[in-house]
Amino acid sequence: MSRGRAALGVIAAGAAVGAATATWGSLVERRRFGIRWETVPVLPAGSRDVTVLHLSDIHMAPWQADKQQWLRDLSLVEPDFVVNTGDNLGHETANAAVEYALEPFRGIPGAFAHGSNDFYGPSPRNPFKYFTGPSSTHSDRRPVGLDIDRQTAFFESLGWLDVNDQAHAIELRGSRFELFGTSDAHRDWDRLDLLPTNVDEMRSTVPWTEDEDGPTPVAIGITHAPYRRVLDAFVDQGADIVFAGHTHGGQVQVPGVGALVTNSDLPRRYVSGLHKWQHRGHWSWLEVSAGIGTSIYAPVRFSCRPEAVVVTLTAKTA
């Protein structure tokens, strides 16, 4: 009897821990928004610092007032540039909420790449399937269409550049930047064939019309889902730094183990944070955001706080 009672006690304790963990992850941690700060030396010597605010995977629902206010307050960071790597919408009526949350960034230059959840709303599914590997891009359910045209028009009205399979040039605080990006590789929407294939082609695609002998431009790659083929291509194209999202940092991390999945072919050690990505003897900085939101049908984070990322681009040292 004593052994039986002991076993029941262990089971009860395990159930209690599991319940407490689930409660924490679903009610507390997914709303513990925070900022991760990084410094990356990519600018020419003598350049002034450029502050980049990286937003990703907001997955906004109209009732998420705390998330909206937190995003508005990020304007206090006073960024010089905003990078948005997609999946902003999490509900078919969320456009107004996203617009309210991001309105304080009007007039601040930026760039955006879409995720599939900017086109299609989430659908109910078994949340545990997430931990078996990358989510399927095919479903028997017809996804809810989202107002991507309204979102794109709003971002462009803020002054942000559309880098979905496009390249652009911009100058910030005396430094030149060449931006290029892709649509969502998780859906196989990326069109790398539409982008310059190397640095020289990039420079001829987005030429500088004045002062051609000025500082060498810094190349920035932007994509929603950090699939290897995209990251390898960006390194080949001469990217100095790449911004990506999509992974949610694994959304659930096991202490001592880390994230169980990346929802892509990205190795787990790169699931979030600042890293170096190497390909064919070259490398670029890789900044992967753990994201700000979750699907409304899988509202849980554990050991993986929602985050915005502030990256200070600074001058290279000798």
Side-chain angles (χ1 to χ4, degrees), residues 238-272:
D240 293 289
I241 183 170
V242 176
F243 290 87
H246 175 71
T247 66
H248 293 197
Q251 200 161 313
V252 171
Q253 295 200 17
V254 178
V257 176
L260 301 179
V261 295
T262 65
N263 201 20
S264 68
D265 64 357
L266 190 70
R268 289 189 299 115
R269 66 182 180 276
Y270 297 101
V271 71
S272 64

Side-chain angles (χ1 to χ4, degrees), residues 12 15 18 27 33 40 55 99 129 153 159 164 210-211 217 225 249 264 281 307 315:
L27 299 181
F33 306 110
V40 182
L55 305 175
E99 292 163 7
K129 283 188 176 181
N164 288 282
E210 300 178 1
D211 190 17
S264 68
E307 66 175 13

Side-chain angles (χ1 to χ4, degrees), residues 32-85:
R32 294 183 68 231
F33 306 110
I35 300 175
R36 174 162 55 87
W37 303 82
E38 303 285 1
T39 301
V40 182
V42 293
L43 303 183
S47 300
R48 291 181 292 172
D49 288 354
V50 174
T51 301
V52 178
L53 174 64
H54 182 195
L55 305 175
S56 193
D57 300 274
I58 294 172
H59 291 281
M60 184 69 77
W63 56 83
Q64 294 172 334
D66 56 342
K67 185 191 296 185
Q68 294 164 36
Q69 186 58 52
W70 181 75
L71 284 165
R72 290 178 65 85
D73 290 345
L74 287 175
S75 62
L76 298 175
V77 171
E78 298 184 340
D80 301 305
F81 194 72
V82 179
V83 171
N84 185 305
T85 48

Side-chain angles (χ1 to χ4, degrees), residues 178-195:
E178 292 166 342
L179 314 172
F180 52 94
T182 71
S183 298
D184 191 352
H186 187 61
R187 290 275 181 171
D188 295 324
W189 291 345
D190 53 305
R191 291 291 307 277
L192 292 166
D193 59 300
L194 298 179
L195 296 177

